[in-house]
C-alpha cells in the first residue's frame, strides 16, 4: 500500500472515530411549536386564572363592520344577512368582509323577532302572530302560520322554531307552514334576541347585555354565560344577534353592525424532542393555566401510540398564564369555569400531536449544555419575608456540525398574572412567558425558545412591573447566562414517574354547614363560591364519597445528567429551594404545574399561618378540595423524591 493510501486510510479512521466520539456525547434533538388559540368554531372562551369579576372574563369581542340603520330584528342564511327595521321594511345584504350593502326586499310590519331556515324567513309581530315568507329578493308576501305570544327572540334549528317570550319562557314548535302548538322548554331570562350555532341556542339578554348558550336536548337544560360587556373589548350595547359561518353578527342601538372575534394574541404548545441510543424523551410546554391528569394521560397515550415514546418520558408543563382559555375543572367557581370546552381541549391535543411530529421530523445531532443562575422578577406573596424560588436554568442545544444554537429550554418561577391595561385582562395571551421567549429569541437569534414554569405557587411579579417589564428583566438574566461557562450534558435518557398519596385534614361536616350558612344569600363571587363548595362537601359526606387524601404526581426525567424534577399541582417555592439545596452539584431543574394542576401544594408554614391565607387555605375552596394537606406534606413529598433520585 502506498504512503498516500496509508495516510488517507488513517485520516478516514481518525474522522470516523472522532465522529463516533462526538455522536456518543450528543443527542438527536428537535423543536417545534403549534398554536393553541381557539379557532372560529369556538365562539367564546372563558379565561382561566381569576374567579373575579363575578360576571366572568371572556375572549369574545366585537368589531365594527358597517351600518344597520334602525334594525329591530336580524337573522342570517349562509350567505345573507337580513334585518327588519322600525319603519316596517325588510332588507338583505351579502355576507362578505366589507361593509354591507343593504337591499330592500319587501315589508315586515311591526316585527319583534326574525329567523331564517330552509330558504324561508320566519317572523313574529307585536300582534302575537307568526309569519313565513320565501327568502327571495322580490317583495314576497308573508303567510300567517300560527300564533307567537309576546315573542322577544326567534331562531330556526333542526326544522324547529325556538322562541323566547317576555315572560322569560323558552318555547319550541315544528317549523311547518301550518299552525302548530308551542311546547314549553324551560326558562329564558329577559332575552332580547335569539340565534343558534347549528347545535346550541345563543341568547342576548336585554338588561345586562350578556350572551348565553344552552342545549336543546331537554326542557330542563340550563343557560351558560359566554360573554359579558367588559367596557374594553365588549363595550357596545347590542340589540340583535345572528350566527352564521362561525361568526356572531350583532347590531347596536347606535345603528352599527358588528361581527365577533376572539380578543387574543398567540399562545402555543411547544415540543422539544430528545433521542439517544433508541431512548426518547419529550418535553411539552403549554400556554395554559393548568390541565387535569386525565387530559395529560390522554395526550401521552396518543403520543405513545403514534410515535412510540414511553408515556412516562413525556413531560407536560403549563406556563400558568391567567389569560388562557379554561382547560381544567374548577368545580366551585361560576358555571362557565367549571368544565373546559371539549372542542378547545381537542385543539390543544391536536396541536401537541402536530408539534410532537414536527419536533421528531426536525431532529438533528446536537450537543447539550447546562447553565444556572438567579433572577429578580418577583416576591413571595404569601409572606414577603420568606425565601422564594429565584433560580433560573437553561439548556442550550447546538448543532453538532455547525455549532449554531438550535434551541434553548429555560425554566423560571413566577405567576403570569399582571397586565398592562384593562384590555389585557380579557385578552388571551401567554403574558410575560411569551414575551420572554420572543425577546430572547430575537436577542440571541434563536428560533426555538421554550420556557418551563417552576414552583411559582407563592410568587407574584413585582406590582410595579408590567408583563413586558418582567419579560425584559428575565431576558436580561437569561442573556447573562450565555456569558458564563456551561456544563456539557452527557449520558443516557432515563425516566421515573410515580405518585404519592397525601393525607388531608378534612373540613368537617359542621364546618361545611357553617360556611354555607355564613355565605348564603350574599351575591358576590366569593360567597357564591363558598356555598358551592359547602354543598359539594355536604354531598360527599352524606354520600360517603369524601376524599381523605390527594394524589401528587412526581416525574423525574433525566436527559443524560440533566435532571428534571417535575411536581404536579401549584407547588410553592420551598419545594424548589429544598431540592436545589439538597442536590447542589447536580444539573437540576425543578418544576411545578406539571402533568396535573388540581390544587395548591403548600408547605407547613402556609398551612399554619395564624391568619388563613390563600395558598394554605382559601385556594382549596376554588379547587373544590375536601381538605388541606397535613402539616408534614413537604417531608412526605421530599422523602419520596429523594428515594426516586437514588
Amino acid at each position: 500500500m502506498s504512503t498516500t493510501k496509508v495516510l488517507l486510510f488513517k485520516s478516514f479512521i481518525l474522522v470516523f472515530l472522532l465522529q463516533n466520539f462526538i455522536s456518543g456525547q450528543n443527542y438527536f434533538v428537535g423543536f417545534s411549536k403549534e398554536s393553541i388559540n381557539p379557532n372560529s368554531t369556538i365562539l367564546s372562551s372563558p379565561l382561566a386564572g381569576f374567579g373575579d369579576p363575578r360576571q366572568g372574563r371572556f375572549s369574545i369581542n366585537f368589531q365594527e363592520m358597517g351600518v344597520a340603520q334602525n334594525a329591530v330584528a336580524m337573522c342570517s342564511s349562509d350567505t345573507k344577512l337580513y334585518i327588519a327595521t322600525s319603519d316596517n321594511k325588510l332588507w338583505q345584504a351579502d355576507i362578505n368582509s366589507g361593509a354591507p350593502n343593504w337591499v330592500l326586499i319587501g315589508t315586515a310590519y311591526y316585527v319583534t323577532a326574525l329567523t331564517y331556515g330552509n330558504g324561508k324567513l320566519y317572523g313574529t309581530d307585536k300582534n302575537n302572530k307568526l309569519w313565513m315568507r320565501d327568502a327571495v329578493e322580490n317583495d314576497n308576501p308573508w303567510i300567517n302560520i300560527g300564533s307567537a305570544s309576546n315573542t322577544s327572540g326567534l331562531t330556526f334549528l333542526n326544522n324547529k322554531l325556538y322562541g323566547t317570550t317576555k315572560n322569560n319562557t323558552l318555547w319550541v314548535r315544528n317549523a311547518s307552514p301550518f299552525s302548530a302548538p308551542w311546547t314549553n322548554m324551560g326558562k329564558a331570562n329577559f332575552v332580547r334576541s335569539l340565534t343558534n350555532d347549528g347545535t346550541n341556542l345563543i341568547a342576548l339578554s336585554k338588561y345586562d347585555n350578556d350572551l348565553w348558550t344552552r342545549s336543546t336536548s331537554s326542557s330542563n337544560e340550563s343557560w351558560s354565560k359566554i360573554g359579558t360587556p367588559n367596557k374594553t373589548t365588549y363595550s357596545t350595547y347590542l340589540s340583535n344577534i345572528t350566527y352564521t359561518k362561525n361568526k356572531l353578527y350583532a347590531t347596536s342601538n347606535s345603528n352599527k353592525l358588528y361581527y365577533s372575534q376572539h380578543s387574543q394574541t398567540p399562545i402555543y404548545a411547544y415540543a422539544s424532542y430528545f433521542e439517544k441510543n433508541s431512548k426518547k424523551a419529550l418535553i411539552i410546554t403549554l400556554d395554559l393555566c393548568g390541565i387535569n391528569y386525565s387530559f395529560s394521560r390522554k395526550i401521552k397515550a396518543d403520543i405513545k401510540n403514534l410515535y412510540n415514546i414511553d408515556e412516562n418520558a413525556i413531560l407536560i408543563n403549563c406556563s400558568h398564564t391567567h389569560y388562557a382559555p379554561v382547560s381544567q375543572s374548577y368545580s366551585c367557581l361560576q358555571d362557565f369555569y367549571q368544565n373546559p370546552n371539549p372542542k378547545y381541549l381537542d385543539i390543544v391535543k391536536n396541536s401537541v400531536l402536530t408539534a410532537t411530529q414536527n419536533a421528531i421530523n426536525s431532529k438533528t445531532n446536537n450537543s447539550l449544555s447546562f447553565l444556572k443562575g438567579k433572577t429578580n422578577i418577583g416576591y413571595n406573596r404569601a409572606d414577603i419575608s420568606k425565601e422564594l424560588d429565584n433560580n433560573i436554568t437553561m439548556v442550550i442545544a447546538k448543532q453538532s456540525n455547525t455549532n449554531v444554537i438550535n434551541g434553548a429550554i429555560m425554566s423560571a418561577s413566577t405567576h403570569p398574572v399582571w397586565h398592562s391595561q384593562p384590555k389585557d385582562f380579557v385578552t388571551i395571551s401567554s403574558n410575560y412567558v411569551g414575551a420572554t421567549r420572543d425577546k430572547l429569541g430575537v436577542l440571541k437569534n434563536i428560533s426555538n425558545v421554550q420556557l418551563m414554569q417552576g414552583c411559582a405557587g407563592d410568587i407574584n411579579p413585582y406590582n410595579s412591573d408590567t408583563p413586558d417589564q418582567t419579560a425584559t428583566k428575565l431576558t436580561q438574566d437569561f442573556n447573562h447566562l450565555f456569558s458564563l461557562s456551561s456544563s456539557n450534558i452527557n449520558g443516557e435518557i432515563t425516566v421515573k414517574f410515580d405518585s404519592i398519596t397525601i393525607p388531608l385534614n378534612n373540613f368537617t361536616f359542621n364546618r361545611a354547614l357553617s360556611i354555607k350558612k355564613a355565605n348564603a344569600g350574599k351575591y358576590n363571587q366569593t360567597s357564591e363560591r363558598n356555598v358551592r363548595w359547602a354543598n359539594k362537601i355536604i354531598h360527599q359526606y352524606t354520600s360517603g364519597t369524601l376524599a381523605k387524601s390527594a394524589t401528587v404526581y412526581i416525574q423525574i426525567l433525566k436527559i443524560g445528567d440533566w435532571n428534571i424534577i417535575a411536581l404536579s399541582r401549584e407547588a410553592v417555592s420551598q419545594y424548589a429551594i429544598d431540592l436545589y439545596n439538597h442536590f447542589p452539584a447536580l444539573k437540576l431543574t425543578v418544576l411545578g404545574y406539571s402533568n396535573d394542576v388540581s390544587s395548591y401544594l403548600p408547605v407547613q408554614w402556609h398551612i399554619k399561618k395564624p391568619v388563613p391565607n390563600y395558598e394554605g387555605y382559601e385556594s382549596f375552596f376554588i379547587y373544590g378540595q375536601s381538605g388541606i394537606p397535613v402539616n408534614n406534606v413537604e417531608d412526605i413529598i421530599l422523602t419520596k423524591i429523594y428515594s426516586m433520585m437514588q
Side-chain angles (χ1 to χ4, degrees), residues 506-509 512 536-546:
N506 290 114
F507 295 94
T508 65
F509 180 80
K536 179 179 179 179
I537 301 305
I538 291 167
H539 172 74
Q540 289 178 354
Y541 268 109
T542 56
S543 63
T545 58
L546 187 77

Side-chain angles (χ1 to χ4, degrees), residues 294-434:
S294 57
F295 183 55
S296 70
R297 294 306 294 176
K298 178 176 176 56
I299 290 177
K300 292 183 181 188
D302 287 347
I303 291 173
K304 180 182 180 181
N305 291 334
L306 289 168
Y307 309 114
N308 194 30
I309 303 175
D310 180 2
E311 291 171 80
N312 292 337
I314 304 167
L315 168 62
I316 302 178
N317 176 262
C318 295
S319 71
H320 200 55
T321 176
H322 285 41
Y323 305 94
V326 168
S327 52
Q328 65 190 114
S329 300
Y330 298 96
S331 60
C332 296
L333 291 181
Q334 300 94 310
D335 69 309
F336 40 82
Y337 291 136
Q338 290 175 11
N339 294 293
N341 185 339
K343 289 170 68 175
Y344 181 65
L345 293 185
D346 281 343
I347 289 173
V348 174
K349 184 193 73 170
N350 292 334
S351 293
V352 169
L353 295 179
T354 301
T356 298
Q357 182 181 45
N358 291 339
I360 294 170
N361 291 343
S362 69
K363 69 180 181 182
T364 56
N365 198 300
N366 282 242
S367 64
L368 299 177
S369 58
F370 177 85
L371 292 149
K372 183 181 177 185
K374 299 288 185 180
T375 190
N376 183 21
I377 56 171
Y379 66 99
N380 194 313
R381 68 187 190 187
D383 187 336
I384 197 169
S385 69
K386 296 288 187 179
E387 284 187 272
L388 73 162
D389 177 21
N390 60 359
N391 296 283
I392 58 173
T393 70
M394 180 167 62
V395 167
I396 299 172
K398 288 186 178 181
Q399 296 275 5
S400 299
N401 57 346
T402 63
N403 210 36
V404 172
I405 296 177
N406 186 30
I409 308 114
M410 311 176 298
S411 74
S413 301
T414 277
H415 260 65
V417 289
W418 289 162
H419 56 270
S420 301
Q421 51 190 339
K423 180 179 178 180
D424 298 335
F425 191 58
V426 288
T427 296
I428 294 171
S429 81
S430 55
N431 204 254
Y432 81 84
V433 174

Side-chain angles (χ1 to χ4, degrees), residues 580-627:
Y580 283 122
N581 288 339
H582 190 81
F583 299 108
L586 291 186
K587 302 179 183 76
L588 178 64
T589 298
V590 182
L591 305 175
Y593 304 96
S594 298
N595 303 307
D596 175 59
V597 185
S598 50
S599 80
Y600 270 75
L601 193 58
V603 295
Q604 181 170 321
W605 70 260
H606 297 88
I607 298 168
K608 297 192 72 173
K609 285 188 74 172
V611 177
N613 67 332
Y614 182 77
E615 294 81 8
Y617 177 74
E618 187 181 1
S619 67
F620 294 94
F621 296 112
I622 289 177
Y623 278 107
Q625 302 293 294
S626 61

